Amino acid sequence: MPIALIDCNSFYASCEKVFRPDLKDKPVVVLSNNDGCIVAMSPEAKKLNIPRGTPLFKLQELFKKNDVHVFSSNYTLYGDLSSRIMSLIMESSDNVEVYSIDEAFANWNFSDPLSQAADIRKKIKKWIGMPVSIGIAETKTLAKIANHIGKKEANGLFWIREEIREDILKETPIEDVWGIGRQSALFLRNKNIFTAYDFIQLEDWWVKKYMTIVALRTKWELMGKKAINMEQEVKENRAILSSKSFGNPITDLDDLIEATKSYAHDAFHKMVRQNLKAKSLSIYLTTNRFRENEKQYMNSITMDLPDYSDYLPDFIKAVDRGIRMIYKEGYKYKKTSVMFIDLRLTKELTPDIFAINDGRKDRVQKSINEINKKYGKNCVVCNIPRDTLPKWKMKRDLLSPQYTTNWEELLMVN
DNA sequence: TCTGGGGTCCTAGGACCC
DNA sequence: TCTGGGGTCCTAGGACCC
């Protein structure tokens, strides 16, 4: 049964265009958090040959000259459009894996997958306004390659049938293979392996010995042997991370603690939504590594809680203590992050019979969660100042409206 | 003087992905 | 002046056990 990979074209940039018909055929780029780097480009913008990840400040001139429209990232909008697209894809098959915000694998047993792909593509374009490409092949890794080729084809579709597989692999540079990153590509090139075809000529034992089991699976996939399964169920997170750069560098310990507590709130909400509890958290801080003439410092610490917890004050207290332990005076800090680790589903945990628990914490937290659910996720916060515009707040100067998820920001038609 | 071998579990860090 | 964030999986190496 062939696997289809449905992948949105320039997803973030396309999302920005959905509600802005005036931007049709215009170059559009979307920035990372903090309006730092370019993370997505419309096809028109791609023609300017900007490497992904270039910082915005290096491009101001070029963008002005070419009338490039620049947006801060609007994850609320992208997430909403994504789920609409995914539900359309799920109508095509009951075996779909949503792989990321902008792509999904689907098991297809249509006799004519190409015409099926054309239908779905047309539907997503018409109903959501999103251009997608579809690649079809025997395995996920091959479907990725097919999709890549499809993106260049006029109709956005490509099918790697078994008969043409070898020819395609001969045309595929090794670094374009899904799962082969920079390090492995470099390693292979030094061994005179330049294409996916060269790679599958290697012996299994060699790949296993000098690379990893992951690389070996990739090799099998390229040969048409399924080695990476479809993962339909949404798995609980193994870790939850909130990590952000500051709008401005921070030197003061109190500011640092305030920012990091606020990130802990983000992580906490994510955890509660999935009915998880955490037993430890890891806190990390760093200076700006791009400032070569400034003193650099980075450090992290893992804090263990006495037991699995979903009680917000436990985490806030741990952040407070943790930051104080790794903070050093005299540095300009750029970023902190909080990672909740050792997560378990609440319902799978057996309560500790020796713990002192009269249920009060549970009741308090439950009330807080309910209030936040009703009035916005940071209605009740723990031990951080409210209604201020802190200096660490990230920049989002070029944000588009939340067209689909906020009544105040619906599209206006005159 | 001669100083094993096999196993598990945990953690840090790297590679990779979008 | 201005350089992203959020994940997963694997491996090596140490601690520990018998």
Side-chain angles (χ1 to χ4, degrees):
Chain A
M1 187 160 26
I3 293 178
L5 173 63
I6 302 109
D7 187 308
C8 302
N9 300 345
S10 328
F11 182 59
Y12 294 173
S14 301
C15 286
E16 296 296 346
K17 286 191 178 196
V18 167
F19 293 93
R20 290 285 304 274
D22 58 305
L23 295 181
K24 192 173 181 281
D25 304 323
K26 298 262 172 64
V28 166
V29 302
V30 177
L31 304 175
S32 63
N33 273 346
N34 248 324
D35 293 348
C37 309
I38 312 296
V39 294
M41 290 177 271
S42 73
E44 302 80 12
K46 279 180 186 150
K47 287 192 189 129
L48 297 173
N49 278 323
I50 311 155
R52 204 193 110 98
T54 313
L56 173 65
F57 71 89
K58 288 188 179 169
L59 301 165
Q60 300 283 18
E61 266 315 88
L62 181 72
F63 282 1
K64 208 177 236 174
K65 217 184 319 170
N66 292 280
D67 191 26
V68 177
H69 297 256
V70 183
F71 291 92
S72 302
S73 30
N74 182 346
Y75 291 107
T76 319
L77 175 69
Y78 311 153
D80 184 60
L81 291 184
S82 168
S83 59
R84 288 163 196 246
I85 292 164
M86 294 308 167
S87 14
L88 284 184
I89 293 171
M90 285 177 198
E91 286 173 12
S92 75
S93 159
D94 50 15
N95 190 350
V96 171
E97 175 190 349
V98 176
Y99 180 71
S100 75
I101 192 164
D102 74 330
E103 59 189 305
F105 291 101
N107 249 320
W108 277 0
N109 54 354
F110 311 123
S111 53
D112 184 3
L114 269 185
S115 72
Q116 192 70 28
D119 285 351
I120 291 176
R121 187 165 176 274
K122 213 164 32 178
K123 198 167 174 186
I124 296 175
K125 179 73 191 165
K126 191 170 169 196
W127 292 13
I128 318 277
M130 177 62 55
V132 303
S133 303
I134 302 182
I136 303 160
E138 301 149 272
T139 65
K140 286 178 157 183
T141 307
L142 288 168
K144 274 270 180 188
I145 295 174
N147 191 286
H148 211 79
I149 301 170
K151 286 228 186 314
K152 293 178 223 150
E153 302 280 315
N155 62 358
L157 311 171
F158 196 79
W159 182 12
I160 301 182
R161 275 165 291 117
E162 211 184 321
E163 310 88 84
I164 61 167
R165 188 171 68 221
E166 284 204 349
D167 295 330
I168 297 289
L169 293 186
K170 285 179 186 163
E171 302 291 314
T172 306
I174 188 66
E175 55 272 7
D176 287 0
V177 173
W178 186 50
I180 303 291
R182 275 218 343 250
Q183 298 303 318
S184 308
L186 194 67
F187 171 79
L188 288 169
R189 284 195 167 268
N190 284 331
K191 300 264 184 293
N192 291 324
I193 310 294
F194 299 111
T195 67
Y197 181 78
D198 296 341
F199 182 56
I200 64 168
Q201 305 310 309
L202 295 167
E203 303 270 3
D204 282 3
W205 67 264
W206 191 94
V207 176
K208 176 93 197 291
K209 177 157 185 213
Y210 295 107
M211 300 179 74
T212 60
I213 182 79
V214 185
L216 181 55
R217 277 188 214 126
T218 299
K219 185 199 155 197
W220 289 337
E221 286 255 315
L222 289 171
M223 298 167 79
K225 199 165 107 192
K226 287 193 175 79
I228 305 173
N229 290 330
M230 295 281 287
E231 311 242 346
Q232 275 184 273
E233 301 90 67
V234 183
K235 278 195 279 184
E236 313 82 65
N237 283 93
R238 301 284 304 272
I240 293 174
L241 173 72
S242 176
S243 160
K244 281 177 198 68
S245 300
F246 309 131
N248 297 298
I250 287 187
T251 52
D252 188 60
L253 174 62
D254 287 334
D255 289 334
L256 217 54
I257 292 177
E258 182 185 312
T260 315
K261 281 182 183 170
S262 148
Y263 302 165
H265 275 74
D266 288 349
F268 183 81
H269 291 311
K270 243 186 266 181
M271 181 177 78
V272 168
R273 236 178 290 142
Q274 297 182 56
N275 295 312
L276 295 167
K277 291 188 182 195
K279 197 166 185 301
S280 354
L281 59 160
S282 161
I283 301 156
Y284 168 83
L285 51 74
T286 179
T287 50
N288 187 342
R289 67 196 159 96
F290 291 103
R291 301 245 183 120
E292 281 166 15
N293 39 14
E294 278 178 13
K295 287 189 295 178
Q296 297 289 323
Y297 171 62
M298 61 188 73
N299 203 352
S300 72
I301 188 168
T302 300
M303 313 288 292
D304 290 314
L305 304 176
D307 193 10
Y308 288 93
S309 168
D310 57 0
Y311 182 57
L312 180 56
D314 290 345
F315 296 90
I316 299 301
K317 261 186 264 174
V319 166
D320 198 287
R321 258 189 304 140
I323 292 277
R324 287 176 200 278
M325 287 164 84
I326 53 177
Y327 173 81
K328 277 209 268 181
E329 225 182 298
Y331 291 92
K332 290 184 179 165
Y333 293 95
K334 175 63 181 166
K335 169 161 132 175
T336 59
S337 57
V338 182
M339 181 158 45
F340 291 8
I341 41 188
D342 197 353
L343 301 170
R344 293 288 158 77
L345 274 172
T346 304
K347 60 170 191 236
E348 282 172 9
L349 286 167
T350 23
D352 178 358
I353 53 164
F354 298 111
I356 303 159
N357 182 356
D358 57 8
R360 250 194 298 182
K361 282 184 173 186
D362 288 347
R363 288 199 298 276
V364 170
Q365 190 60 53
K366 214 175 145 213
S367 311
I368 294 178
N369 292 345
E370 271 165 23
I371 295 171
N372 282 337
K373 209 169 163 187
K374 204 161 168 187
Y375 298 105
K377 66 177 178 181
N378 280 323
C379 185
V380 179
V381 296
C382 178
N383 199 14
I384 51 172
R386 295 293 318 266
D387 293 329
T388 52
L389 193 62
K391 39 186 145 187
W392 45 266
K393 203 81 184 164
M394 74 176 184
K395 259 193 291 187
R396 273 176 111 184
D397 294 339
L398 306 158
L399 189 62
S400 54
Q402 296 176 20
Y403 298 106
T404 55
T405 52
N406 189 335
W407 288 113
E408 309 291 320
E409 301 184 4
L410 288 183
L411 188 64
M412 303 284 278
V413 181
N414 294 315

